[in-house]
Amino acid sequence: MAPVDDNKLTGLVAATFTPLTSQGEINLMEIGPYIDYLIEKQGIKNIFVNGTTGESVSLSVAERKSLANEWCLKARGKMDQVIVHVGCMSLKDSQELARHAAQIGASGIAVIAPSFFKPSTAEVLRTFLQEIAAVAPTLPFYYYHLPAVTDVKVPAREVLQNIEKLIPSFRGVKFSGSDLLDFGQCVSCSPPHWSLLYGVDEQLLAGLVLGAHGAVGSTYNYLGCHINNLISAFNRGDLIQARSIQFQLQELLSYAIKLGFDLGVNKQLMIEVSGLSLGPPRLPVRPCPHSYAKEIAHKYHTIFL
Amino acid sequence: MAPVDDNKLTGLVAATFTPLTSQGEINLMEIGPYIDYLIEKQGIKNIFVNGTTGESVSLSVAERKSLANEWCLKARGKMDQVIVHVGCMSLKDSQELARHAAQIGASGIAVIAPSFFKPSTAEVLRTFLQEIAAVAPTLPFYYYHLPAVTDVKVPAREVLQNIEKLIPSFRGVKFSGSDLLDFGQCVSCSPPHWSLLYGVDEQLLAGLVLGAHGAVGSTYNYLGCHINNLISAFNRGDLIQARSIQFQLQELLSYAIKLGFDLGVNKQLMIEVSGLSLGPPRLPVRPCPHSYAKEIAHKYHTIFL
Amino acid sequence: MAPVDDNKLTGLVAATFTPLTSQGEINLMEIGPYIDYLIEKQGIKNIFVNGTTGESVSLSVAERKSLANEWCLKARGKMDQVIVHVGCMSLKDSQELARHAAQIGASGIAVIAPSFFKPSTAEVLRTFLQEIAAVAPTLPFYYYHLPAVTDVKVPAREVLQNIEKLIPSFRGVKFSGSDLLDFGQCVSCSPPHWSLLYGVDEQLLAGLVLGAHGAVGSTYNYLGCHINNLISAFNRGDLIQARSIQFQLQELLSYAIKLGFDLGVNKQLMIEVSGLSLGPPRLPVRPCPHSYAKEIAHKYHTIFL
Amino acid sequence: MAPVDDNKLTGLVAATFTPLTSQGEINLMEIGPYIDYLIEKQGIKNIFVNGTTGESVSLSVAERKSLANEWCLKARGKMDQVIVHVGCMSLKDSQELARHAAQIGASGIAVIAPSFFKPSTAEVLRTFLQEIAAVAPTLPFYYYHLPAVTDVKVPAREVLQNIEKLIPSFRGVKFSGSDLLDFGQCVSCSPPHWSLLYGVDEQLLAGLVLGAHGAVGSTYNYLGCHINNLISAFNRGDLIQARSIQFQLQELLSYAIKLGFDLGVNKQLMIEVSGLSLGPPRLPVRPCPHSYAKEIAHKYHTIFL
């Protein structure tokens, strides 16, 4: 068995949208151009595919495999890392996707907590994660913490306790929550080879000041270059500049939230900004009302000129 | 195309557990005995399979098909109706299961609201349901309303508005919620050929007094005969007797809740009472701690002797 | 010390609005006519004053005393019982109000759970209630359970455990919740001299079928005669009729909820129906937009003609 | 009318506990020593009295006046600023306290959103605040945002819109929430004479990086000197050191939360650390179990040695 790759994941990671055709079928053709766009226009070197932004729960297992395969194929030699999210409500499905991710050369896998039957303790959640990690033991494994959506009440720091004993391939957390006591405790307990990635784009600066090693988010699809500037400013101690960029992102999202920001609107904004053909979202995500997308795109261009 | 069967669903419907082997694989062998037990010992004539109690979200699509097929096969000539729950997070998967349910002779299908991406309006939820119903147009279709688990905020009465125009095969609701304003409005707006089935076992009497035509629940697996008595008492106007049985069920569940009642404990209680080999639940549902099951089974026998 | 009055509280109890002048000061002058209206037009014989509907938390202690005094004075010889709600966030204030209620001849007092600092256990909540009851030991004491507003998670049935040992004057619960497992357990554990009063008007029938001895609510201010008919129909076993009236109330509230039903709208509806001068609500309750009140009053008259 | 004092509030502000006697009555005698302790041992120059930590909702209006008076009296010439929280559920009571605060020479007043009847819009909340500010127009006015406790859903940034037109004395926000999009928007829209004070102690660093001008919290009663070091480190760009102190506070609170951290435990910890006689909390806050306080105090001394 090959050892787990120790290429620590840092910096910006774009949580990709899933390209669909106008008929709602997966559109593998657009993945190559999507990757080129992220690299060339947004300065993005890592992607997180088939996650929440990618509408993974709305895809069949077969579709997720096709997509993961294409992302890995087209990213080869271009992207630094492709993390494939393999979390499902069904452990069986997750295991199948984890095995597949290993075969296609993913850089790592991530798993969200199941949210229909919610794990009531850290122990049962860790065991669930372990059962998935165990079928792809050579792949770096990330826990994806998204409590506002899953409504799972287990703090991430409790999930991390002794987790390397159960999951030797454990390498970090995509922490998409606003409980920074919990995030701080995750950071302070982390060994150096773990990556603590913050996932609430609109308050990334808070994640950074508490020691995040990188960030995963959907807005980095269309704001990667700006947020790379935010990180650079933060790293050189220029908080005025870093804060200014953070406030720009907040202004955009605040505006969008008032209109009714959801994944469909988010996807359409990406289409407007990038020019890529990503298609509509799939039900139950509502297609973006045409007027919303135009207004938000206009706001985007007004703020980020 | 055959017309939708107009055999109105009434009375008790057991939401079945999924038999697993001790290794956690689906155990089709136990389905025949399970059906016989429900008929002979519990007076149950209808079942709702692959629902929440059946851990459907923890099963793969292939497993759900195998199970649905076996339930329909073994129930033939014995049960009045077998409703197959085909709801999934993924519309594609639900459509596949709905087509399959039509092929195997299910009496009807039911769909829960997707709960990861939550429909924000009745309209988008209805459209989601319609897309599933449309691939199995000859099967009676039921909406499964479980807001405490899905956290979908759309009232059931709004889902029902003009729903037969979109879903001609629409035949009713499994209403598993405690908002009886909403339930009452569903009942009062229902045409005679719909079935409004109440799904909160511990307050079934409240559903009945508001006009429920039947009830779907997990406790009817092991309390069917008692709850049939409750319904009979209610129907003949003997509220003292009906209330007394309802309070017995409440006492059992109240006791169980204090210990930590979840699906794993519920399944184990069924095993203890019925003697069937249903196996453990599947992760992320936690296997029942041995002591809990014994205590609750003892309480069961104390109350229902 | 006089013994606790054993006049069991049953039937409908109107939770009264607090009459204010157009300048927002308490308007004692309207209390007499209000009582006459309830008796003559709505068939109401019991009132619950200074509760949620009465905006008690928005009143000063001095105002609550003046109001309680006037309600008791004007109700004498006309109403069967006047229950004075004395619950406050501050135990000291509640004690002062409880002592005052005893002096003015209230029929009983009620106390809601404090909701800013939420009691975390039944024990601490019981002790809080006890400290209030102890200063007015001759007055029948009622616990007011309103979990949707207080967000206190303690089940009422746990509050009731051994409560008469701590509060010898304990006489019942105003149960304004939709957890009917909890309500049923309260009923089934109650000694005969307690009154279990159900407080969710739109599902009163559910409370009755589970054994409620009466009902407290705001809609009885303007629907008392209709709901008295509902109770009569229920008592003689005419569920068709009882359900029909319940559905009428549900239709009214469902309509109102869509417009934006809150206490300000509710108060204005009472003004429209009764012709009493009750004035606006007090901030932070928003005054009713003029158009809403007219629409809901029109709906009222359409339904209850 | 005197102009509003423009002494901008910055740095650490301790949210004080209310000293009670062992019989549970307010203990004015301990206020002088308490102030001396904060200044001498904790380096605290500003206090926020009668707030959540001070159990204000559990105090009568008369008690709040006595306490406010004594805090202002004893702080004179020692503390820089004394902010008196005058928020109540009742507007009348708040107005009375606001007038009183002006008479006793408070440095400013603060008001929390009412939480029993929750303002549904920013407009109604602003109007509520305005009615209080208007009776003490010379006092700097602060909005106290504590959504996790009040469950009021109005974003602080919406409350601030055009607020100086309604409240000319408006001077800032005590923002005790974890929605940093909202906090960032408050900061970025603030004129220079406002103070944006962050109020979630365990993630103060996040507030600072987004531009907080100061911080209000209960832990500064016993950790003021350490957190002053955190702020100094942050200000000089030493994030390693700042983070290290933040993690210490997180470790302490994380430990306490596992035991069951509430206001009673918090108060007892202050007693253990400071040696002051602050007495028990008042019901419904539960007195601290003896063992908890010892364990947490021990943890405190282990971490902050």
Side-chain angles (χ1 to χ4, degrees), chain C residues 25 52 55 57-60 63 89-90 92-93 112 114 116-117 124 127-128 149 263 282-285, chain D residues 25 52 55 57-60 63 89-90 92-93 112 114 116-117 124 127-128 131 149 263 282-285:
Chain C
E25 299 302 317
T52 302
E55 297 178 80
V57 300
S58 299
L59 302 167
S60 69
E63 288 176 324
M89 299 293 158
S90 159
K92 290 257 167 183
D93 289 346
I112 196 170
F116 189 89
F117 294 121
V124 74
T127 309
F128 181 86
V149 172
L263 184 49
R282 184 174 282 179
L283 283 171
V285 176
Chain D
E25 301 301 318
T52 302
E55 296 178 80
V57 301
S58 300
L59 301 168
S60 69
E63 287 175 326
M89 299 292 158
S90 159
K92 290 256 167 185
D93 288 347
I112 196 170
F116 189 89
F117 295 121
V124 74
T127 309
F128 181 86
E131 296 275 328
V149 172
L263 184 48
R282 184 175 283 180
L283 284 171
V285 176

Side-chain angles (χ1 to χ4, degrees), chain D residues 108-153:
Chain D
I109 54 175
V111 174
I112 196 170
S115 60
F116 189 89
F117 295 121
K118 299 179 203 307
S120 52
T121 66
E123 192 189 352
V124 74
L125 176 50
R126 260 197 311 266
T127 309
F128 181 86
L129 300 177
Q130 178 190 18
E131 296 275 328
I132 299 165
V135 305
T138 61
L139 281 184
F141 184 94
Y142 299 88
Y143 167 54
Y144 175 14
H145 185 65
L146 182 64
V149 172
T150 63
D151 203 29
V152 170
K153 309 291 191 195

Side-chain angles (χ1 to χ4, degrees), chain B residues 8-11 183 187 190-192 194-198 207-208 211-215:
Chain B
K8 182 161 172 165
L9 181 57
T10 59
F183 182 65
V187 171
S190 294
W194 286 9
S195 291
L196 270 290
L197 306 161
Y198 196 61
L208 293 177
H213 309 106

Side-chain angles (χ1 to χ4, degrees), chain D residues 95-216:
Chain D
Q95 288 173 327
E96 184 173 342
L97 291 172
R99 274 187 214 100
H100 179 261
Q103 291 161 10
I104 61 175
S107 315
I109 54 175
V111 174
I112 196 170
S115 60
F116 189 89
F117 295 121
K118 299 179 203 307
S120 52
T121 66
E123 192 189 352
V124 74
L125 176 50
R126 260 197 311 266
T127 309
F128 181 86
L129 300 177
Q130 178 190 18
E131 296 275 328
I132 299 165
V135 305
T138 61
L139 281 184
F141 184 94
Y142 299 88
Y143 167 54
Y144 175 14
H145 185 65
L146 182 64
V149 172
T150 63
D151 203 29
V152 170
K153 309 291 191 195
V154 180
R157 64 185 179 275
E158 294 187 8
V159 178
L160 300 194
Q161 276 167 9
N162 298 314
I163 198 164
E164 282 196 326
K165 288 185 186 161
L166 293 176
I167 305 177
S169 55
F170 191 82
R171 285 302 173 270
V173 181
K174 170 181 186 326
F175 190 103
S176 298
S178 59
D179 177 350
L180 297 176
L181 166 60
D182 193 26
F183 182 65
Q185 293 268 297
C186 290
V187 171
S188 69
C189 83
S190 294
H193 59 292
W194 287 8
S195 290
L196 270 289
L197 306 162
Y198 196 61
V200 185
D201 307 10
E202 60 270 33
Q203 55 182 63
L204 169 59
L205 210 38
L208 293 177
V209 82
L210 285 164
H213 309 107
V216 187

Side-chain angles (χ1 to χ4, degrees), chain B:
Chain B
M1 184 188 300
V4 168
D5 186 300
D6 274 311
N7 189 12
K8 182 161 172 165
L9 181 57
T10 59
L12 282 193
V13 183
T16 57
F17 297 94
T18 291
L20 297 182
T21 65
S22 56
Q23 283 74 41
E25 300 301 317
I26 58 171
N27 181 3
L28 301 181
M29 304 275 290
E30 200 69 7
I31 285 178
Y34 194 157
I35 285 171
D36 293 340
Y37 173 83
L38 290 177
I39 292 169
E40 293 162 17
K41 304 290 182 182
Q42 298 295 347
I44 294 291
K45 302 289 285 175
N46 303 289
I47 50 178
F48 183 94
V49 308
N50 290 348
T52 302
T53 306
E55 297 178 80
S56 59
V57 301
S58 299
L59 303 166
S60 70
V61 168
E63 287 175 325
R64 286 173 74 163
K65 285 183 180 175
S66 295
L67 288 159
N69 186 59
E70 192 71 10
W71 283 111
C72 288
L73 197 68
K74 289 299 194 301
R76 200 154 298 150
K78 293 182 169 179
M79 287 281 171
D80 285 348
Q81 298 204 29
V82 179
I83 307 300
V84 178
H85 176 250
V86 301
C88 297
M89 299 293 157
S90 160
L91 180 58
K92 290 257 168 184
D93 288 347
S94 282
Q95 289 174 325
E96 185 173 342
L97 292 172
R99 275 187 213 99
H100 179 261
Q103 292 162 9
I104 61 175
S107 314
I109 54 174
V111 174
I112 196 170
S115 60
F116 189 88
F117 294 121
K118 301 179 202 307
S120 52
T121 65
E123 192 188 353
V124 73
L125 175 50
R126 260 196 311 267
T127 309
F128 182 86
L129 300 177
Q130 178 191 19
E131 296 275 329
I132 299 164
V135 305
T138 62
L139 281 183
F141 184 94
Y142 299 88
Y143 166 54
Y144 175 13
H145 185 64
L146 183 64
V149 172
T150 64
D151 203 28
V152 170
K153 309 291 191 196
V154 180
R157 64 184 180 276
E158 294 187 8
V159 177
L160 300 193
Q161 276 167 9
N162 297 315
I163 198 165
E164 281 197 327
K165 289 185 187 161
L166 292 176
I167 306 178
S169 55
F170 191 82
R171 285 302 174 271
V173 180
K174 171 184 187 323
F175 190 103
S176 300
S178 59
D179 178 351
L180 298 176
L181 166 61
D182 193 25
F183 182 65
Q185 292 268 297
C186 290
V187 171
S188 67
C189 83
S190 294
H193 59 291
W194 286 9
S195 291
L196 270 290
L197 306 161
Y198 196 61
V200 185
D201 307 11
E202 60 270 32
Q203 54 183 63
L204 169 58
L205 210 39
L208 293 177
V209 83
L210 285 164
H213 309 106
V216 187
S218 64
T219 67
Y220 311 141
N221 282 290
Y222 45 81
L223 284 173
C225 54
H226 294 276
I227 306 302
N228 272 322
N229 288 341
L230 181 160
I231 294 175
S232 299
F234 176 80
N235 286 339
R236 68 174 183 266
D238 183 354
L239 292 187
I240 304 296
Q241 171 68 359
R243 211 176 273 155
S244 163
I245 300 170
Q246 184 74 88
F247 289 167
Q248 287 178 309
L249 172 51
Q250 292 190 339
E251 187 185 349
L252 177 66
L253 292 185
S254 180
Y255 179 88
I257 288 165
K258 278 209 170 175
L259 282 178
F261 194 58
D262 62 12
L263 184 50
V265 176
N266 201 1
K267 191 176 192 181
Q268 190 61 36
L269 175 57
M270 175 60 178
I271 293 168
E272 302 283 340
V273 171
S274 69
L276 292 164
S277 290
L278 302 178
R282 184 174 282 179
L283 283 170
V285 177
R286 194 173 52 153
C288 178
H290 191 66
S291 61
Y292 285 16
K294 289 294 174 202
E295 285 181 62
I296 296 174
H298 181 256
K299 187 76 178 174
Y300 171 95
H301 289 297
T302 307
I303 297 173
F304 295 101
L305 213 278

Side-chain angles (χ1 to χ4, degrees), chain C residues 151-224:
Chain C
D151 203 30
V152 170
K153 309 292 191 194
V154 180
R157 63 184 180 276
E158 294 187 7
V159 178
L160 300 193
Q161 276 167 8
N162 298 315
I163 197 165
E164 282 197 325
K165 289 185 186 160
L166 292 176
I167 306 178
S169 56
F170 191 82
R171 285 302 174 271
V173 181
K174 171 183 186 325
F175 190 103
S176 299
S178 60
D179 177 350
L180 297 176
L181 166 60
D182 192 26
F183 182 65
Q185 293 268 296
C186 289
V187 171
S188 69
C189 82
S190 294
H193 60 290
W194 287 9
S195 291
L196 270 289
L197 305 161
Y198 195 61
V200 185
D201 307 11
E202 60 269 32
Q203 55 182 64
L204 169 59
L205 210 38
L208 293 177
V209 81
L210 285 163
H213 309 105
V216 188
S218 63
T219 68
Y220 311 143
N221 282 291
Y222 45 81
L223 284 173

Side-chain angles (χ1 to χ4, degrees), chain C residues 24-71:
Chain C
E25 299 302 317
I26 58 171
N27 181 2
L28 302 181
M29 303 277 290
E30 200 69 7
I31 286 178
Y34 194 158
I35 286 172
D36 292 341
Y37 173 83
L38 290 177
I39 292 170
E40 293 162 17
K41 304 290 183 182
Q42 299 295 348
I44 293 291
K45 305 288 286 173
N46 303 289
I47 50 178
F48 182 93
V49 308
N50 290 347
T52 302
T53 306
E55 297 178 80
S56 59
V57 300
S58 299
L59 302 167
S60 69
V61 167
E63 288 176 324
R64 287 174 74 163
K65 284 184 181 175
S66 295
L67 287 160
N69 186 59
E70 192 71 10
W71 284 111

